[in-house]
Amino acid sequence: QGIGKVHCQGARDYQEDCFAVSEPEAAASHGLLAIVSDGMGGLEDGELVSQTAVGTAISEFYELGGDADAVLMTLLGKANQAVNDFLGPDRFYKCGATMVMGLIKNERFHYISVGDSRICLFRDGELIQLNREHVFRNELLLRAINGEGSFQDAFEHPKAAGLSSFLGQGILKYADLGAKPVSICPGDRFILMSDGVYNALSV
């Protein structure tokens, strides 16, 4: 299995994304873990929050074993706690980052996410998004379904793309764990990306 990594700075003067992939030598015993965290550009110290989250998760990964979904949930909890400890309660909601993790183990792909970074499967020429984004738009759409506001307003709201769950808010509001792992087929590619990547795609 091949691993590809792309890390471009973009238009800003600094890089707020952070990523890591576990050591291939540990794949037989632990599986292969990939992580992407995108520091929130509108808030302060986004790059430090993403580095804290990724560094914590990848170091803790080697200490864990057993059920893949339980490992991912544990890593997310530890990453969030590390971010909370780094920020302190006075800085909750003033700093933040997204986080997506994918774990390949026993020919299956498991994943978990918080925020609007995406996890996609590229299969048979089609790019399929696996996770659900935690953005305010989805809450507005649910309100519209329940008769509160319109669907058009949900898409046109100025804060529609704002995050509803992210590392840096203290207690996480949402976390998206895959309902079941994806059985890996020959030729499958799994892509973890921040909004800086998928906003540049035309598919």
Side-chain angles (χ1 to χ4, degrees):
Q1 56 194 10
I3 300 171
K5 307 171 186 176
V6 177
H7 201 213
C8 298
Q9 181 166 306
R12 290 200 178 100
D13 294 333
Y14 46 88
Q15 177 58 264
E16 293 188 321
D17 293 1
C18 185
F19 71 88
V21 178
S22 61
E23 296 294 335
E25 294 77 10
S29 57
H30 289 73
L32 183 68
L33 176 71
I35 311 170
V36 170
S37 180
D38 179 10
M40 294 166 63
L43 303 180
E44 59 187 46
D45 288 339
E47 74 279 9
L48 298 180
V49 176
S50 63
Q51 291 167 15
T52 298
V54 171
T56 298
I58 200 69
S59 63
E60 292 285 348
F61 173 64
Y62 302 107
E63 306 300 321
L64 301 175
D67 179 76
D69 288 341
V71 167
L72 289 175
M73 289 186 285
T74 300
L75 292 178
L76 179 58
K78 289 182 177 292
N80 189 54
Q81 186 58 56
V83 168
N84 290 343
D85 291 344
F86 167 70
L87 295 178
D90 291 343
R91 291 215 292 164
F92 289 170
Y93 286 91
K94 296 179 181 178
C95 312
T98 71
M99 192 171 202
V100 291
M101 292 187 281
L103 175 58
I104 294 176
K105 192 171 185 180
N106 298 326
E107 299 302 317
R108 294 184 175 185
F109 178 80
H110 305 252
Y111 63 88
I112 196 167
S113 67
V114 173
D116 66 349
S117 293
R118 292 183 183 178
I119 304 171
C120 294
L121 164 62
F122 186 73
R123 174 182 286 175
D124 297 331
E126 184 178 2
L127 192 64
I128 306 164
Q129 184 174 342
L130 299 177
N131 67 318
R132 176 180 172 84
E133 296 164 42
H134 302 130
V135 292
F136 188 45
R137 179 187 304 109
N138 292 332
E139 298 188 8
L140 294 172
L141 288 171
L142 183 58
R143 293 179 191 177
I145 290 171
N146 288 314
E148 302 174 16
S150 70
F151 298 112
Q152 182 176 354
D153 290 342
F155 285 103
E156 295 178 354
H157 194 285
K159 295 184 178 180
L163 298 186
S164 55
S165 188
F166 57 91
L167 302 180
Q169 61 183 173
I171 297 175
L172 292 175
K173 188 174 182 180
Y174 304 113
D176 188 32
L177 179 73
K180 61 180 295 186
V182 178
S183 295
I184 300 174
C185 297
D188 280 354
R189 296 290 183 269
F190 296 94
I191 306 169
L192 282 63
M193 66 183 101
S194 67
D195 61 351
V197 176
Y198 65 72
N199 283 335
L201 299 178
S202 60
V203 294

